[in-house]
Structures are given as structure tokens and as C-alpha cells.
Amino acid sequence: MTEERRAEITACRAASTPGRWYWDIRPRSNSVSLLSANHSTVLDATRWGFGGATIRMIDAQNHWLVSGIHEDAEPHPGRKHHAGWTLTSRRPDAVFIANAGVFVDELLEEVARLQAENNRLENEAQQYVRGAQKLAQRFTDKPAFSEYYDAAGNCHRCGRFFTVCNGCHE
């Protein structure tokens, strides 16, 4: 994941309502709301004229005032010719909600990549440890180092560096 993409995701989350969100479902009043940790409305539904319902969210200009999501809607990027019949919201919470699935997928992919890199580095470190242990054993169990290796640490027989020598003198 690039630094720019991480910055985009971070900025989107920072612009949205902070804290943990939760659903507040009230069967007796037939209402469903998405609330923030301090119980302010992130999203709910209300009547819109005689045609149905609309989603209400925190107003982008007047934080903590709830207004219809359609009030500041704008044409989809690259689709201004459809502005008469389909719009999108640029409200921070709406943008965050719309992108949440993509963000989670990308972040999980990055976690998997980092875990694989960590495993590779751990294996590499273990190889170095085994090489150091092999070298330490050669110094303690065998005659002097110079009998098998030159000043640069290369084996007299196979020419390989001492940590990767196949033990041809053993």
C-alpha cells in the first residue's frame, strides 16, 4: 500500500464522525439509526415529502445538525450529464461508509503482505542465527579457524564464505 493511499484512508476516517459507531434499532417506533459513541446521529431515515424516505446525516457545514443527505448532493464524478436523476453525497460520513468495504479489503491485503514479509524476515534471521551457531561450534569444537578458512573467511576447499560452506572439511 502506498503512503498516498494510507493518507487518503486516514484523511477520510479523520473527516468522519469519530469513535465507534453502533446501530440503534427501535422496533416499537419502527426506527433504525447509526449512532456514534457519544450517541449523536451518524445516519438515520426520515420521511421525504410524499414519495418515501431519505437518509439523514450530520450536516457537513453545521456539525451535529442532522439534515437530509439529499440537501447537499452533487453529481457523481465524471457523470455530470446524469445530474438530473442521480447524485452522490460528499458528506464525510457518507464517503467513509461508501468506501468502508474497499478500505477494509485494502487494509487486510496490506496486513497479509506485512505478515508474509515478517515471516520471510524471521526465516532469514533464523538462517543467520544457525550460521552463527555453526560458526561458534567450529571455533569451539575444531582446530583454529585459519586451518579451514582464509583471512576473508572463505573455505580453503570449496571457496565459499564460512556461513554457507557445506562443511567439506568436516
Side-chain angles (χ1 to χ4, degrees):
M1 178 177 288
T2 65
E3 189 64 37
E4 293 81 22
R5 184 60 177 154
R6 264 195 309 280
E8 279 180 49
I9 293 171
T10 301
C12 186
R13 179 60 181 128
S16 67
T17 301
R20 183 177 290 275
W21 298 355
Y22 68 95
W23 289 103
D24 182 34
I25 301 169
R26 300 188 179 195
R28 288 187 181 178
S29 61
N30 294 324
S31 68
V32 176
S33 300
L34 182 60
L35 304 178
S36 70
N38 65 356
H39 312 294
S40 63
T41 301
V42 174
L43 174 148
D44 70 0
T46 188
R47 297 284 304 166
W48 185 21
F50 294 105
T54 187
I55 294 173
R56 294 187 308 171
M57 299 185 91
I58 295 171
D59 188 287
Q61 284 73 38
N62 303 304
H63 268 294
W64 309 117
L65 295 177
V66 179
S67 61
I69 194 171
H70 61 282
E71 292 175 17
D72 62 354
E74 60 186 40
H76 292 273
R79 299 180 67 197
K80 291 189 189 303
H81 58 286
H82 291 294
W85 58 279
T86 180
L87 300 170
T88 189
S89 177
R90 297 283 47 146
R91 291 192 186 191
D93 289 340
V95 172
F96 182 73
I97 290 167
N99 287 291
V102 173
F103 293 163
V104 169
D105 290 344
E106 289 177 4
L107 292 169
L108 289 173
E109 191 176 296
E110 181 68 0
V111 166
R113 186 192 68 77
L114 291 171
Q115 285 175 331
E117 176 71 4
N118 187 50
N119 290 339
R120 185 190 66 76
L121 291 171
E122 282 181 358
N123 289 336
E124 194 174 296
Q126 288 173 0
Q127 288 176 350
Y128 285 118
V129 167
R130 284 192 296 274
Q133 289 170 340
K134 188 176 179 181
L135 176 62
Q137 186 177 13
R138 285 181 181 168
F139 276 120
T140 57
D141 297 346
K142 304 291 181 194
F145 184 73
S146 61
E147 287 187 34
Y148 300 118
Y149 305 99
D150 63 18
N154 297 313
C155 177
H156 292 304
R157 287 197 182 159
C158 67
R160 293 184 181 152
F161 193 63
F162 65 87
T163 57
V164 291
C165 174
N166 60 13
C168 57
H169 44 72
E170 295 177 0

